[in-house]
Amino acid sequence: MSRQINRLGQGGAIDRSRTLSFSFDGARYEGHPGDTLASALLANDVRIVGRSFKYHRPRGVMSAGVEEGGALITTGSGARRTPNVRATTLELFDGLDTYGQNAWPSVRFDLNALNGLLARFFSAGFYYKTFMGPGRGTWAWMQYEKIIRRAAGMGEASREPDPDSYEIAHAHCDVLVVGSGPAGLEAARVAAEAGLHVILAEQDFAVAPSLLSETEGIGDEAPADWRAARLKALQAAGNVQIMPRTTVFGLYDGGVAGLAERVTDHLADPSPHLPRERFWILRTRRTIVATGALERSVAFGNNDRPGIMLANAARIYANRFGVAAGRRAIVATNNDSGYHSALDMAAAGVDVARILDVRERASDDFAARARAAGIEIMTNCVPVEAAARGTIGKLQIGRRSGATIRADEWLDCDLVAVSGGWTPVVNLLSHRGARPVYDESLATFLPGECAEPIRVAGSAAGVWRSEDCAQSGRAAGAAAARDLGKSALDEQAPAPGGWDRPIHPLWEVRVKGRKLRSFVDPQHDVKTDDIRLAHQEGYVSVEHLKRYTTLGMASDQGKVGNVIGLALMAKATGKTIAETGTTMFRPPYTPVSLGALAGRGCDEHFRATRYTPMHDWNMEHGAVMIDAGLWKRPWYFPAPGEDLTAAYERETAKVRETVGLCDVTSLGKIAVQGPDAAEFLNRVYVNGFGKLPVGRARYGIMLRDDGIVMDDGTTWRLSDSDFFMTTTTANAAKVMGFLEELLETRWPDLRVRVTTVSEQWAGLAVAGPKARQVLEAAVEDIDMSSEAFPFMGVREGHIGGAPCRVARISFSGEMAWEAYVPSDYGAAMCDAVWQAAEPLGGILYGTEALGALRIEKGHVAGPELDGRTTLEDLHLDRMASTKKPFIGNVLRKRPGLMTDDRPQLVGIVPKDRTRRLYAGALLHAPDRLSGHGEGWVTSVTYSPELGHWIGLGLIRGGVEAWSGKTAIHADPVRSGNTEVEITATHFIDPDGSRMHA
Amino acid sequence: MTRYSAWSVIRNGLTGQKGWDRAWRDPEPKDSYDVIIVGAGGHGLATAYYLAREHGIRNVAILEKGYLGGGSVGRNTTIVRSNYMMPGNTEFYEFSLRLWEQLSHELNYNVMFSQRGQIVLFHSPPARDAAARRANTMRMNGIDAEMLTRDQVRQRVPHLDFSDTARFPIQGAILQKRAGTARHDAVAWGYARAADSLGVDIIQNCEVTGVLREGGRVSGAETTRGVIKAGKVGLAVAGNTSRLAAMAGMGRLPIESHKLQAFVSEPLKPLLDYVVAYALPGGHFYISQSDKGGMVFGGDLDMYNSYAQRGNLPIYEDVAGCAVALMPCLKRIRLLRQWAGVMDMSMDGTPIISKTSIDGLYLNGGWCYGGFKATPASGWCFASTIANDAPHELNAAFTLDRFERGLQIDEKGAGPVPKLH
Amino acid sequence: MLRIPCPFCGERDHTEFSYGGDAGVDYPQIDSTDEKAWYEAVFLRENPRGPHKELWQHNYGCRMWIVVERDTMTHEIFSAEPAHPGVKAQLEKEAAK
């Protein structure tokens, strides 16, 4: 185990009293609570931690935050392996195991780095120009693609199911403050003091993390004291919810924010009851974006080498983590902020060899302080190129004269800390469509106008000094409070900026005659030459630039390189940066686990499961269930040793022979009530319901507005003004919504109420020659005789002591009833009826037999009512009333729907009665065995009664055109061709004597 | 135009990439053209290309309000397939797929059409039968399709959810081997470069503000860069078709604009070698892995009319749920980027490529989700329709008046509710 | 997330609602046999970019159909009122009290 050789002797917000053990690529190291993986790796002098996307160049830690493009690693193993984790935001815990990725055999020595030798050929978009041949077609490309896919990608995902759980949480607040720097803290404080409910979200595990590395005082307070006092006050306030480890990843319509909270990733031994992450859907009235700013780098030769990092990151490692990111540092800057890094590193004991300042003059104050610290300042100087191998050991500097740079001496160093200026984090505003605006004097994008109640504070608004940021936060908090009707001080927001001396824009260091490999996007290996090539080839729109070079499409989403890329494109086109524009940042701000976004809605809870009140009863009686939409319905009830086929054939036969019981609760049930209920039904069904007598049911069909069949079912008249409608299982919700829409928007004058009662009633179908006998025994107070209870009659009474409504209707073609009792009595009804049925040789049947029975009878169901069929297609047009208008009656007569050559419903029988049929087969004429054919098979079953397979389908011309002819049941994907006969649809009991018996 | 090839890449690699020309010019608009195509998306660019290439009509301008390829062609999930069941659709999309198979060579631009195969899962016997009808239709029309059992799916993609806790167990799938994905931007750029080389003027940052008519005939367009005359104007502005049509005086259309979100994860080493799709109660889902390694996926519309190219959280939840229900290992994989495009949702889910009631005005729109895979055939057919002032047989069914005549082509059977298609 | 101010339930997530499309569609009387009028009502849509009056049903709330005016570009919601004219009048009457 190595020592933490780069750990400074003191300082940092880490707990030195405790030591944590962790591993990287199999080697064990130590760190402390408060470390990130990156700070701990740096402390242990691990410099190469990753490989880049394209050239597999070595990558070290480049930043100290979410913008990291170099230190991407994989954590964990087995089912918990997590790729592409930013080491710079990963909180260290005891036992953390991490691995380098995108390299073979290791990140220190990666054979894929041979790609780098071919870099001159791998320019932007080269793959659009080659890999097409040899040969025509796509074969060649697909061979290249295999190689490309293996080389690309970054981390390796686990293929095992993730064992962790995730959660979605909902919240509301008055003010959401995003970010807890000086601006966020003050905004939250002011809003809270005005009495508002505030949520303060911080992506870091430490609240107000920027103050942990800040050394400049706020007012006359030291940053640490200021931070502690503010935090204490917020924690005591009671109306402020502070959420660390929580990233506001996107802002959405209606003041909704998406937050990702990391709950257990930092714990060595998390409770199994905790979710790994939480996705918060937060509704807020005001949002204050205090997301800070990100430091930019500068493009110079080999600026991607391990040991080159952002200046502020080096400062953070020194101040917050007590780690020297190098032993001999050079700071290169174009603005004041680089001096903070240099001074703080020097104060922490790092040898800061030089400050290279591209400006002509440093600020007097900083210059004096640097001199006092013994640091040599080289003005008009820039970094030109880092030595090309491994981690950095030397840096060549350049001297600027006007716009020209002359390469000069090489300096020894193992850390180059670069500041190219700052870019406010305006991503969240971008999600709301507000484009950032370029400010020439600050050389930065500032947040643009946003029409929504979102305010920007602190360095996210381009305010650089901590003290000003605090004021900016107070102003935003007060403004939000006033917006919401609270009184708050009218504090003025400070203007953007705040440096002693202005920034000198520096995007790229170019030296005449020198070919430098300068990176804009270090993760995707986008070089400055790639930007120029994109320009040369006409990909000048910022979106073309992004897509052609892949600049900004890496996992940092352009946080590092976008602005430099834009600036270089602006230079190439001769336009200003403002004219060149900017791409829009897309959510999420930082990547969010799909597990968190899905929450608990996965595995068996992916969709709700609907159980009928008889579910347990069915299970106790041996049901095998099937999914019907969200419902679990009995599929079949196997006797010992039976499979589906044996069971449904037996069930089907038994229904026709004795009696069967089937749970039909999943049908939609709607109470249609009111004085105009009959008129309403008249309008929605194609057939008449106005004259339906009380105590009778009728089968009805409804059309859509466009005249296509929508749904069918029976509707029972319980009284003059009270109807009980049933719909198909699949269309229950759709029909209900449609009826409500009609009553509220089209026919508000109708005095009708519709109420869904699907959940209120449990339904049981009792079908078969012995159905009457069974119900006579089970039903207590209804005369079941044929005279007293005719076909389509409706009666109310009791079953098993429970109130019931019973209708004599038949889907099977047998003598049959459907009985409904209040849901809680479902099982009692089943008991009562089963008690009567079982001794008579009755059976329980499921949806498979239900389907077989209805196919034998020629009744249509879902496969026939597929949203494309008309009444005529299904031979149901005779049901359409000519005496009254109904929904769909006009458009169903459009000429294209009334032609004779539309496929019509028919029965289908295999010529060779031993062959089986398949639903989904096409029907072809024997002499035309290609193309769409003449029709298709919708439903099939083996008919125990007929002793062979039968089917329903639609075929052009219908039975008349095909009588005596052979059609081909074409099923190339399963059974090949089968000769079939086209028949009428009623395979059994065509005159209906059984059901009328 | 420099011809792209391995040799040109090597030559330029050795000479500092100096030899590459602009992929397309940035011309000033002329006063008049034979044909104006409005919209430099995939379909508009393809139309102009085929006008020039197949019909010899090269005096063509494409007018684009923003940058070329900035609409749905650059925002989709890149799936290319031809698994359509309804007459009219089957033939059209298969023709498109055949054009795709040669497209890189045709355009001399690698559009990276990867025929890795698409697996469409089913989870119930009725869904199996519906899938079988689709697959049978494909086969009988000469299109490859095969039915996979659950075990055959498992052999191909073992890390789908085959566990006991799957809410809807996978029962099988339809595989179309010739389906796959393509690099969406490259399609726009490839067509742009090829059309430009044939003399077509692609005029970006030129918004059409009015369609000019003389004596009932189209005579050109008013634009933010002045009046441009043309005898024929073709609209290929899916997402904004209603607005342009209203501008042209066509009145209301059987189209609503809806937004569809798309998602991509962080890059990963190869994890999924097929396009996988499925539909279940309450939504549908499709996923593939890009060559860069990102898992690219999407699901349903946001379900309300919208012209905003941004989405809302409920669809994140929905789509992420669909993703992890399909592949439980994806829970730890992170969403990198989400975006949205505006879809022309038609009243039957089928596009419109047709003449209009106005002489010289042609309409290409109503693409719903299906526009990307249709790009080559759409351009081909639209060019033919414009050149001949009569539809090609492949788009003869995609008329604007089919709704009035009762000839809608409703692949889903969802009826005149655009959000459901 | 759209936040729809249901006139009966208050402001709610749009996921509680289902979308019913253009509220300006003028459906013919049920006894109208004007095929063109039916065709236009069922199939043709204004589809504006900007303010749009549209129907939503509050499925997981009061189940009422409401008319929402919303901008299809910015998604800003301007108003929400009951679709049923009688209910709307009653609500207005009560609000005036």
Side-chain angles (χ1 to χ4, degrees):
Chain A
M1 194 170 291
S2 2
R3 287 167 44 241
Q4 301 179 44
I5 58 169
N6 291 333
R7 186 72 72 179
L8 295 165
Q10 57 184 13
I14 50 169
D15 178 2
R16 290 171 189 259
S17 69
R18 287 171 55 211
T19 300
L20 305 176
S21 166
F22 71 99
S23 74
F24 177 70
D25 267 346
R28 295 217 72 82
Y29 302 99
E30 285 182 348
H32 297 294
D35 263 327
T36 61
L37 175 65
S39 68
L41 287 170
L42 286 170
N44 287 282
D45 206 34
V46 178
R47 319 259 335 233
I48 299 178
V49 295
R51 288 278 163 171
S52 66
F53 187 84
K54 191 158 137 189
Y55 304 137
H56 289 257
R57 286 167 69 96
R59 288 287 174 264
V61 174
M62 303 178 120
S63 77
V66 297
E67 69 274 35
E68 181 63 26
L72 299 171
I73 52 92
T74 296
T75 69
S77 56
R80 287 196 168 87
R81 180 168 64 203
T82 313
N84 303 334
V85 176
R86 291 178 300 272
T88 49
T89 61
L90 178 64
E91 199 172 343
L92 200 69
F93 62 85
D94 202 43
L96 173 66
D97 290 319
T98 65
Y99 309 89
Q101 60 180 36
N102 199 35
W104 190 87
S106 79
V107 293
R108 294 192 62 82
F109 178 76
D110 177 14
L111 283 176
N112 295 304
L114 290 170
N115 281 0
L117 300 178
L118 301 171
R120 61 166 61 209
F121 307 111
F122 291 2
S123 60
F126 76 99
Y127 31 74
Y128 298 125
K129 298 168 180 164
T130 181
F131 299 143
M132 291 177 266
R136 305 282 291 171
T138 57
W139 183 86
W141 160 245
M142 289 182 64
Q143 309 313 310
Y144 299 118
E145 187 190 36
K146 288 193 184 97
I147 300 164
I148 290 171
R149 285 188 68 198
R150 277 197 291 269
M154 292 293 283
E156 176 99 31
S158 169
R159 281 168 165 74
E160 295 170 52
D162 182 354
D164 289 334
S165 68
Y166 299 81
E167 204 163 80
I168 298 178
H170 294 267
H172 296 253
C173 69
D174 294 322
V175 180
L176 166 66
V177 179
V178 189
S180 64
L185 287 181
E186 285 292 78
R189 179 177 67 81
V190 170
E193 283 173 0
L196 296 169
H197 174 209
V198 178
I199 287 181
L200 175 61
E202 171 54 56
Q203 64 187 1
D204 204 310
F205 55 88
V207 182
S210 63
L211 291 170
L212 296 175
S213 54
E214 185 54 75
T215 45
E216 299 287 299
I218 299 179
D220 40 20
E221 282 180 86
D225 298 340
W226 190 90
R227 173 179 182 268
R230 293 299 183 286
L231 280 182
K232 199 172 160 195
L234 289 177
Q235 279 153 358
N239 55 343
V240 182
Q241 190 177 345
I242 303 176
M243 299 178 71
R245 299 188 182 89
T246 302
T247 304
V248 177
F249 64 77
L251 296 183
Y252 302 89
D253 293 333
V256 172
L259 282 63
E261 181 189 8
R262 298 177 302 283
V263 182
T264 63
D265 264 2
H266 62 292
L267 301 175
D269 189 18
S271 155
H273 304 296
L274 284 176
R276 177 171 172 244
E277 292 175 8
R278 255 186 222 111
F279 163 33
W280 289 87
I281 300 174
L282 174 67
R283 297 135 191 97
T284 176
R285 298 162 74 195
R286 289 293 179 278
T287 302
I288 296 173
V289 174
T291 43
L294 293 175
E295 197 168 23
R296 296 190 296 261
S297 188
V298 172
F300 59 90
N302 295 324
N303 61 329
D304 61 326
R305 287 290 158 196
I308 301 175
M309 69 169 64
L310 294 168
N312 194 53
R315 184 190 193 202
I316 290 170
Y317 288 116
N319 291 352
R320 176 176 170 184
F321 298 108
V323 171
R327 282 165 221 143
R328 186 176 163 81
I330 294 174
V331 175
T333 188
N334 67 345
N335 68 86
D336 285 356
S337 72
Y339 286 81
H340 285 301
S341 303
L343 291 167
D344 288 358
M345 279 196 286
V350 176
D351 173 13
V352 180
R354 297 284 195 288
I355 295 175
L356 310 179
D357 192 335
V358 68
R359 299 176 297 182
E360 279 170 24
R361 245 184 85 196
S363 96
D364 296 340
D365 175 39
F366 279 123
R369 287 160 67 184
R371 272 194 300 277
I375 308 171
E376 184 183 336
I377 300 172
M378 299 175 73
T379 54
N380 281 318
C381 280
V382 293
V384 170
E385 187 173 22
R389 295 216 171 273
T391 57
I392 186 169
K394 277 177 189 308
L395 177 76
Q396 185 179 30
I397 64 164
R399 294 184 185 274
R400 181 175 76 92
S401 162
T404 321
I405 287 166
R406 177 174 56 81
D408 199 345
E409 65 202 284
W410 288 86
L411 298 176
D412 288 336
C413 61
D414 63 357
L415 171 67
V416 179
V418 185
S419 180
W422 292 78
T423 303
V425 176
V426 294
N427 301 50
L428 293 176
L429 283 172
S430 191
H431 301 173
R432 303 310 307 147
R435 286 190 179 271
V437 179
Y438 191 72
D439 183 301
E440 289 282 348
S441 65
L442 295 176
T444 197
F445 280 97
L446 296 177
E449 285 294 310
C450 181
E452 297 178 30
I454 301 171
R455 289 170 200 283
V456 188
S459 50
V463 175
W464 301 143
R465 295 160 49 93
S466 294
E467 199 168 311
D468 294 344
C469 287
Q471 186 191 340
S472 169
R474 285 191 294 275
R482 284 194 304 277
D483 285 353
L484 298 176
K486 305 286 182 182
S487 62
L489 285 176
D490 190 3
E491 185 149 2
Q492 196 66 35
W499 283 321
D500 289 354
R501 287 196 64 79
I503 185 172
H504 177 103
L506 177 66
W507 313 106
E508 182 190 11
V509 174
R510 297 186 80 185
V511 176
K512 213 177 160 97
R514 280 282 287 277
K515 184 130 185 69
L516 298 174
R517 222 175 257 186
S518 308
F519 288 82
V520 181
D521 183 331
Q523 189 181 338
H524 266 177
D525 289 328
V526 179
K527 303 192 302 290
T528 53
D529 284 344
D530 292 322
I531 311 282
R532 282 184 279 275
L533 178 61
H535 169 255
Q536 175 187 331
E537 298 192 82
Y539 299 88
V540 291
S541 143
V542 289
E543 284 289 344
H544 288 161
L545 170 66
K546 167 182 132 186
R547 291 153 184 261
Y548 192 64
T549 63
T550 74
L551 169 66
M553 296 177 84
S555 62
D556 71 296
Q557 290 289 287
K559 294 182 183 72
V560 176
N562 256 15
V563 178
I564 300 179
L566 282 176
L568 297 181
M569 181 54 84
K571 194 165 180 194
T573 54
K575 290 182 180 171
T576 64
I577 292 174
E579 286 165 342
T580 305
T582 174
T583 57
M584 296 298 275
F585 291 106
R586 308 286 176 202
Y589 174 60
T590 53
V592 183
S593 301
L594 294 181
L597 294 173
R600 303 273 178 190
C602 53
D603 306 324
E604 64 265 52
H605 303 300
F606 168 53
R607 290 286 187 266
T609 305
R610 300 183 75 178
Y611 298 103
T612 77
M614 284 96 98
H615 183 79
D616 292 343
W617 194 94
N618 288 321
M619 295 304 284
E620 282 159 21
H621 289 78
V624 174
M625 289 288 162
I626 188 169
D627 290 305
L630 299 179
W631 289 97
K632 292 284 184 194
R633 295 191 69 181
W635 189 6
Y636 57 100
F637 291 84
E642 278 185 339
D643 61 3
L644 165 67
T645 305
Y648 95 80
E649 288 179 8
R650 173 182 52 79
E651 290 167 18
T652 305
K654 280 285 181 185
V655 168
R656 302 229 181 272
E657 186 189 317
T658 60
V659 63
L661 276 51
C662 182
D663 179 354
V664 294
T665 305
S666 66
L667 292 180
K669 297 174 282 290
I670 300 171
V672 182
Q673 294 162 316
D676 297 327
E679 167 62 18
F680 178 60
L681 292 172
N682 248 350
R683 296 184 187 184
V684 297
Y685 279 124
V686 305
N687 45 334
F689 276 74
K691 295 194 179 117
L692 180 68
V694 172
R696 299 286 289 192
R698 184 163 287 168
Y699 173 72
I701 296 192
M702 17 180 126
L703 306 184
R704 301 190 308 227
D705 272 319
D706 64 348
I708 300 293
V709 176
M710 176 164 79
D711 199 54
D712 68 346
T714 59
T715 288
W716 314 2
R717 191 162 202 170
L718 304 174
S719 80
D720 269 353
S721 59
D722 188 359
F723 291 81
F724 179 68
M725 172 188 283
T726 64
T727 74
T728 61
T729 300
N731 287 328
K734 182 168 148 186
V735 170
M736 179 67 195
F738 187 51
L739 299 183
E740 288 168 314
E741 181 181 0
L742 291 172
L743 287 170
E744 288 175 52
T745 68
R746 284 195 223 173
W747 308 326
D749 52 319
L750 288 187
R751 295 162 300 163
V752 180
R753 286 280 180 279
V754 288
T755 311
T756 174
V757 292
S758 294
E759 311 267 321
Q760 274 63 41
W761 295 95
L764 187 71
V766 184
K770 295 185 179 172
R772 176 175 291 127
Q773 219 179 321
V774 168
L775 287 176
E776 275 171 345
V779 178
E780 289 150 28
D781 41 9
I782 301 175
D783 183 348
M784 304 300 298
S785 69
S786 188
E787 304 70 42
F789 202 153
F791 187 62
M792 297 313 271
V794 175
R795 298 291 180 269
E796 293 182 80
H798 291 80
I799 296 181
C804 70
R805 48 179 66 161
V806 186
R808 186 171 167 192
I809 49 186
S810 177
F811 196 41
S812 58
E814 294 301 317
M815 181 202 295
W817 281 265
E818 269 179 27
Y820 290 90
V821 296
S823 288
D824 287 350
Y825 298 102
M829 167 168 67
C830 289
D831 275 336
V833 180
W834 184 233
Q835 218 164 37
E838 198 178 13
L840 298 175
I843 49 95
L844 304 172
Y845 66 102
T847 55
E848 195 69 19
L850 185 80
L853 291 161
R854 71 100 187 163
I855 295 167
E856 285 183 328
K857 182 64 186 169
H859 279 155
V860 293
E864 290 76 36
L865 312 182
D866 67 355
R868 289 179 286 258
T869 43
T870 65
L871 290 173
E872 283 76 10
D873 298 344
L874 303 170
H875 300 307
L876 295 168
D877 46 311
R878 276 171 307 163
M879 283 179 66
S881 170
T882 53
K883 300 195 181 75
K884 50 121 194 174
F886 55 88
I887 289 283
N889 193 29
V890 174
L891 292 184
R892 79 185 181 94
K893 295 171 185 159
R894 284 175 290 159
L897 299 177
M898 300 299 271
T899 55
D900 292 337
D901 68 342
R902 283 180 65 89
Q904 298 170 31
L905 187 69
V906 290
I908 301 156
V909 177
K911 275 192 100 147
D912 172 354
R913 297 289 197 262
T914 66
R915 299 286 303 258
R916 72 162 285 187
L917 301 178
Y918 288 85
L922 302 191
L923 294 170
H924 280 257
D927 56 347
R928 287 204 54 201
L929 283 177
S930 69
H932 289 273
E934 305 301 316
W936 62 96
V937 181
T938 51
S939 306
V940 299
T941 185
Y942 177 79
S943 167
E945 174 135 340
L946 300 175
H948 59 79
W949 282 80
I950 57 171
L952 296 176
L954 288 102
I955 192 166
R956 201 164 280 131
V959 180
E960 292 83 54
W962 289 87
S963 95
K965 293 184 192 162
T966 297
I968 303 298
H969 162 289
D971 185 33
V973 296
R974 286 173 299 191
S975 58
N977 291 347
T978 304
E979 292 188 333
V980 294
E981 294 165 10
I982 302 301
T983 69
T985 53
H986 299 96
F987 293 102
I988 57 122
D989 194 27
D991 58 359
S993 58
R994 293 188 196 181
M995 63 186 188
H996 289 96
Chain B
M1 186 177 84
T2 323
R3 202 173 158 72
Y4 292 163
S5 68
W7 300 118
S8 66
V9 168
I10 291 169
R11 197 172 59 245
N12 274 282
L14 296 171
T15 57
Q17 313 290 347
K18 296 232 164 33
W20 301 119
D21 304 332
R22 287 188 65 108
W24 48 80
R25 295 164 297 128
D26 185 20
E28 283 299 313
K30 295 190 285 189
D31 292 340
S32 95
Y33 291 90
D34 294 340
V35 178
I36 286 175
I37 302 296
V38 185
H43 294 220
L45 292 162
T47 303
Y49 170 74
Y50 292 116
L51 274 173
R53 166 105 186 174
E54 299 295 322
H55 305 280
I57 302 173
R58 298 184 172 203
N59 187 21
V60 175
I62 309 177
L63 309 183
E64 168 55 51
K65 75 173 173 187
Y67 56 95
L68 70 86
S72 295
V73 72
R75 292 168 184 270
N76 61 79
T77 47
T78 80
I79 298 168
V80 175
R81 57 186 167 87
S82 65
N83 57 342
Y84 282 76
M85 187 175 80
M86 301 305 289
N89 281 343
T90 314
E91 298 82 355
F92 175 84
Y93 286 100
E94 175 58 12
F95 179 72
S96 201
L97 185 55
R98 287 176 194 276
L99 291 178
W100 273 109
E101 287 172 327
Q102 301 303 334
L103 196 59
S104 293
H105 306 282
E106 170 79 18
L107 301 178
N108 181 232
Y109 202 104
N110 189 354
V111 301
M112 304 183 187
F113 179 31
S114 164
Q115 295 186 281
R116 55 182 70 178
Q118 185 193 34
I119 289 174
V120 182
L121 303 170
F122 52 78
H123 301 77
S124 70
R128 173 200 61 212
D129 295 343
R133 181 181 164 198
R134 181 173 301 273
N136 280 329
T137 304
M138 292 164 70
R139 285 280 285 274
M140 295 306 281
N141 282 280
I143 304 167
D144 76 298
E146 52 196 278
M147 209 153 180
L148 304 181
T149 63
R150 176 179 162 95
D151 283 342
Q152 287 170 321
V153 176
R154 191 173 194 159
Q155 280 160 17
R156 286 170 171 80
V157 199
H159 43 300
L160 301 185
D161 189 356
F162 289 98
S163 74
D164 296 337
T165 55
R167 172 68 181 84
F168 298 104
I170 293 167
Q171 298 203 356
I174 298 294
L175 168 65
Q176 186 184 15
K177 282 185 178 162
R178 289 164 59 243
T181 59
R183 172 85 184 101
H184 56 7
D185 289 324
V187 177
W189 299 340
Y191 272 118
R193 175 168 166 271
D196 175 271
S197 76
L198 293 174
V200 171
D201 282 356
I202 303 169
I203 301 164
Q204 303 180 70
N205 300 308
C206 178
E207 182 169 2
V208 171
T209 55
V211 175
L212 298 172
R213 287 160 73 173
E214 270 170 36
R217 256 203 82 85
V218 157
S219 63
E222 275 175 358
T223 77
T224 49
R225 294 172 73 169
V227 167
I228 304 173
K229 295 280 197 182
K232 292 180 175 181
V233 174
L235 305 180
V237 291
N240 283 287
T241 302
S242 296
R243 297 177 53 237
L244 268 291
M247 221 178 259
M250 285 174 63
R252 297 179 302 160
L253 294 180
I255 285 174
E256 286 181 6
S257 295
H258 285 255
K259 70 181 144 85
L260 179 66
Q261 302 191 42
F263 302 82
V264 64
S265 79
E266 293 181 325
L268 302 167
K269 293 294 176 195
L271 180 65
L272 182 63
D273 296 332
Y274 293 85
V275 178
V276 180
Y278 67 90
L280 275 171
H284 77 296
F285 180 75
Y286 35 93
I287 187 166
S288 66
Q289 186 169 22
S290 77
D291 289 337
K292 271 172 56 191
M295 306 303 295
V296 180
F297 52 97
D300 269 330
L301 296 169
D302 275 44
M303 293 289 179
Y304 44 84
N305 283 43
S306 177
Y307 284 88
Q309 289 173 327
R310 55 173 199 272
N312 273 319
L313 285 174
I315 295 292
Y316 284 54
E317 185 180 336
D318 183 60
V319 164
C322 288
V324 304
L326 178 72
M327 289 173 72
C329 66
L330 289 179
K331 287 183 196 171
R332 294 187 102 77
I333 299 311
R334 283 179 300 259
L335 171 67
L336 177 62
R337 188 168 66 246
Q338 167 277 344
W339 64 96
V342 181
M343 310 285 119
D344 262 10
M345 299 305 298
S346 73
M347 284 285 171
D348 60 356
T350 296
I352 295 158
I353 305 178
S354 128
K355 296 174 66 174
T356 68
S357 54
I358 300 163
D359 271 355
L361 184 67
Y362 306 86
L363 181 66
N364 177 323
W367 286 101
C368 302
Y369 289 24
F372 180 64
K373 70 182 89 69
T375 304
S378 169
W380 180 284
C381 291
F382 199 35
S384 174
T385 304
I386 293 170
N388 302 316
D389 195 37
H392 189 275
E393 62 175 2
L394 285 166
N395 64 305
F398 299 163
T399 61
L400 194 48
D401 65 0
R402 65 179 185 266
F403 305 96
E404 194 163 7
R405 294 167 59 204
L407 296 172
Q408 60 266 43
I409 304 171
D410 193 341
E411 193 79 26
K412 276 196 183 167
V417 185
K419 67 172 184 176
L420 297 179
H421 288 290
Chain C
M1 191 87 77
L2 309 179
R3 296 275 293 160
I4 298 178
C6 174
F8 306 100
C9 309
E11 193 176 63
R12 299 297 178 88
D13 289 353
H14 81 262
T15 45
E16 293 185 10
F17 300 76
S18 69
Y19 182 64
D22 192 339
V25 173
D26 190 13
Y27 284 97
Q29 292 294 309
I30 185 69
D31 54 0
S32 164
T33 56
D34 181 345
E35 193 175 321
K36 193 168 171 59
W38 276 105
Y39 157 69
E40 289 183 355
V42 173
F43 288 105
L44 300 187
R45 294 291 176 265
E46 200 72 47
N47 192 26
R49 188 176 80 178
H52 183 232
K53 284 198 169 186
E54 58 198 22
L55 288 165
W56 291 81
Q57 185 184 19
H58 198 181
N59 295 56
Y60 301 112
C62 57
R63 283 202 72 84
M64 294 298 282
W65 281 89
I66 60 176
V67 175
V68 175
E69 187 171 16
R70 183 182 62 94
D71 190 304
T72 60
M73 191 65 193
T74 65
H75 296 168
E76 187 182 354
I77 291 174
F78 308 108
S79 65
E81 50 192 32
H84 191 292
V87 174
K88 186 184 159 195
Q90 184 68 25
L91 215 60
E92 281 165 0
K93 213 163 93 188
E94 279 170 27
K97 268 185 202 161

